[in-house]
Amino acid sequence: MVAAETTAGRLGTGGSILVRPGGPLSGAVTLQGAKNSVLKLLAATTLAEGTTTLRNVPAISDVESMGDLLVAMGAEVGRPAEGTLVVRTPADLVPEAPYELVERMRASIVVLGPLVARYGQARVSLPGGDDFGSRPIDLHVRALEHLGASISLVHGVVEARAPRGGLRGAGIVLEFPSVGATENALMAAVLARGTTVIDNAAREPEIADLAAFLNRMGARIVGAGSSTIQVEGVEELSPVEHSLIPDRIEAATFLAAVGVNGGEITLLGARADHMDLVTHKLGQMGMRISPCSEGLWAYSSGKLRSVDISTLPYPGVATDYKPLLVAMLAVADGVGIVTENIFSSGRFRYVDELGRMGAQIRTEGHHAVIRGRERLQGAPVRAHDIRAGAALVVAGLRAEGETEVTEAHHIDRGYERFVDKLRGLGADVERK
Ligand code: EPU
């Protein structure tokens, strides 16, 4: 097994993506494993000494970043085969996440819970992450404090310490069903003494996947995927093999692509049950989408109708779908109102980029009003974050002339072989 190299020179080296309009998309695309699942599973490998094997792992730069973080703490990380990631966790990991690594990716904060649970202490720099709005960690901190941890912020580093005898189970009521806070609480509770009940927990499929992984390791969790999760603490966990769930946001990205462009595609391995509301919305917009034996089948004539959409915690329409849906509404017939209920209004920044392509969008606070038009115009635009970048590529499929999406390294954080996969469906895209 080899230690992970640094990110430089592998993925995420920048560049841009060129997009030109073309004929209908057609064919099948195999979905990657879920980014927002694998990052947390990698954090959970710190809970047990030994060798963990993860399958269906996407080759994306966020996975490299989390791998680099594990290596910095003393683990070994290797990719013996495509889609397989192996992590060897030593008995004594250094429970510290340095700024250079944490600032690459906000999700690194989820190592705080498992580290303090297993090692009695942890030091994690305050995270950076996607370039949208302020993203506090107060809910993570309060949840761990309920389990008995003392937490302080010292020179930009969050320091957590367990009491003598370790964390103890407790009732935790989250003020908001935060995905990250639920995951941190869950990964801490599995090794706490006694029973923990997390109420108002996030219900995302990635939380259920994390719980399935932890249970396989020997944890005793029930209710993950619902609002109340109950955990009986255990003394020790063991490393296991686990295959990730498919990435529902990547799936929605290809649905948006075929939606604006027109065509007929199959998403191999998609879980229709993870995407109920978004596929329902896309149906209202005029697409035809059905579960099939291989995953999900979708057809679009390219003619879309506007709808109103509000983002909500799962099972609501995910905030991560929103830039894609806004790109679709920009070329739909009529006026649609999109309301953001999860993040601050900073998550509408890509709207200015779509405006450069001629999209007619007005934002006010948490709302965007989108007046659709037949076509957009190709233009140079900038990817501010993962999903916004993908949405600009999607918009380019329905724009006259060429669209150049710069800072494509943001897209590489979450999408494996994005350009190749789109080209495989017949899209005229290339990496520059
Ligand atoms: N929040 C707080 N305090 C906290 C934690 C969160 O106020 O302690 C607020 C946030 O500021 C935000 C809201 O609660 O307004 C939701 O945040 P949440 O904690 O649920 O999000 P997250 O765990 O930071 C994950 C995904 C995001 C996705 C959100 C919402 C990962 C790595 N990231 O973030 O995905 O947008 O849940 O579903 O799982 C992406 O994949 O591109 C991405 C950004």
Side-chain angles (χ1 to χ4, degrees):
M1 198 175 326
V2 293
E5 305 155 48
T6 57
T7 305
R10 290 182 295 162
L11 285 167
T13 48
S16 30
I17 294 177
L18 298 179
V19 194
R20 286 171 291 262
L25 300 184
S26 73
V29 61
T30 302
L31 294 181
Q32 66 184 41
K35 168 182 87 78
N36 290 346
S37 185
V38 65
L39 298 177
K40 323 310 166 63
L41 268 52
L42 287 173
T45 62
T46 62
L47 285 164
E49 180 187 348
T51 302
T52 300
T53 304
L54 296 176
R55 307 221 186 265
N56 199 21
V57 175
I60 54 176
S61 60
D62 269 10
V63 166
E64 291 180 358
S65 297
M66 192 55 106
D68 289 346
L69 177 55
L70 296 177
V71 168
M73 293 194 290
E76 287 176 72
V77 179
R79 265 196 186 268
E82 199 185 318
T84 302
L85 198 76
V86 174
V87 180
R88 190 155 67 211
T89 306
D92 285 314
L93 214 58
V94 180
E96 287 189 14
Y99 182 68
E100 323 69 271
L101 296 174
V102 171
E103 65 130 12
R104 273 200 231 153
M105 191 181 58
R106 178 194 152 81
S108 325
I109 191 68
V110 293
V111 297
L112 189 66
L115 288 179
V116 70
R118 173 143 183 248
Y119 300 95
Q121 54 175 315
R123 299 181 78 244
V124 178
S125 281
L126 260 189
D130 286 345
D131 192 7
F132 51 81
S134 79
R135 302 176 70 181
I137 57 158
D138 54 317
L139 301 175
H140 302 237
V141 168
R142 231 168 288 149
L144 297 177
E145 283 176 344
H146 270 99
L147 298 173
S150 344
I151 301 189
S152 50
L153 180 66
V154 184
H155 301 298
V157 176
V158 182
E159 293 191 351
R161 203 165 273 281
R164 198 187 295 271
L167 299 179
R168 43 181 194 270
I172 298 171
V173 183
L174 293 175
E175 269 172 45
F176 179 86
S178 151
V179 173
T182 302
E183 291 162 338
N184 243 330
L186 188 57
M187 286 189 274
V190 289
L191 288 183
R193 270 178 301 125
T195 306
T196 298
V197 178
I198 308 171
D199 262 320
N200 200 22
R203 291 181 275 170
E204 272 68 3
E206 294 76 21
I207 306 261
D209 199 26
L210 173 63
F213 178 65
L214 292 168
N215 277 341
R216 208 170 268 195
M217 292 171 77
R220 297 177 60 194
I221 303 166
V222 291
S226 79
S227 301
T228 304
I229 304 179
Q230 184 163 334
V231 185
E232 294 295 332
V234 296
E235 293 220 334
E236 203 179 17
L237 298 172
S238 327
V240 291
E241 278 195 37
H242 184 88
S243 188
L244 293 162
I245 58 171
D247 196 310
R248 64 198 165 100
I249 318 289
E250 189 204 26
T253 306
F254 292 114
L255 293 179
V258 74
V260 303
N261 188 99
E264 181 177 345
I265 63 170
T266 304
L267 301 177
L268 303 175
R271 286 278 301 262
D273 56 327
H274 291 170
M275 304 181 68
D276 275 343
L277 272 187
V278 71
T279 51
H280 180 70
K281 277 285 168 197
L282 298 180
Q284 288 177 338
M285 291 181 78
M287 290 183 68
R288 287 196 277 146
I289 302 176
S290 311
C292 62
S293 58
E294 298 156 292
L296 207 54
W297 169 90
Y299 166 81
S300 164
S301 64
K303 287 202 179 312
L304 299 171
R305 283 187 298 277
S306 293
V307 290
D308 294 340
I309 299 166
S310 292
T311 64
L312 279 174
Y314 192 85
V317 173
T319 181
D320 293 336
Y321 297 140
K322 192 187 55 186
L324 301 159
L325 296 168
V326 168
M328 293 177 81
L329 290 170
V331 294
D333 188 20
V335 176
I337 301 175
V338 174
T339 303
E340 170 63 49
N341 292 309
I342 309 295
F343 286 104
S344 63
S345 52
R347 256 208 149 182
F348 277 123
R349 278 180 58 183
Y350 59 91
V351 159
D352 295 340
E353 304 297 318
L354 284 171
R356 292 174 53 73
M357 299 175 71
Q360 295 182 311
I361 307 174
R362 198 162 52 79
T363 57
E364 209 165 294
H366 286 231
H367 306 283
V369 181
I370 301 124
R371 185 177 299 277
R373 52 190 305 176
E374 177 60 28
R375 280 196 176 278
L376 302 175
Q377 296 152 23
V381 287
R382 185 152 77 95
H384 287 290
D385 68 52
I386 305 174
R387 310 304 170 191
L392 291 168
V393 173
V394 165
L397 295 171
R398 183 73 173 263
E400 277 157 18
E402 189 174 84
T403 298
E404 178 172 6
V405 182
T406 60
E407 303 202 14
H409 60 277
H410 283 294
I411 298 175
D412 299 331
R413 286 188 51 194
Y415 290 89
E416 173 181 84
R417 299 191 302 106
F418 187 45
V419 164
D420 290 350
K421 287 184 174 183
L422 282 171
R423 286 173 74 90
L425 296 173
D428 188 356
V429 281
E430 64 181 287
R431 187 79 185 219
K432 198 174 96 175

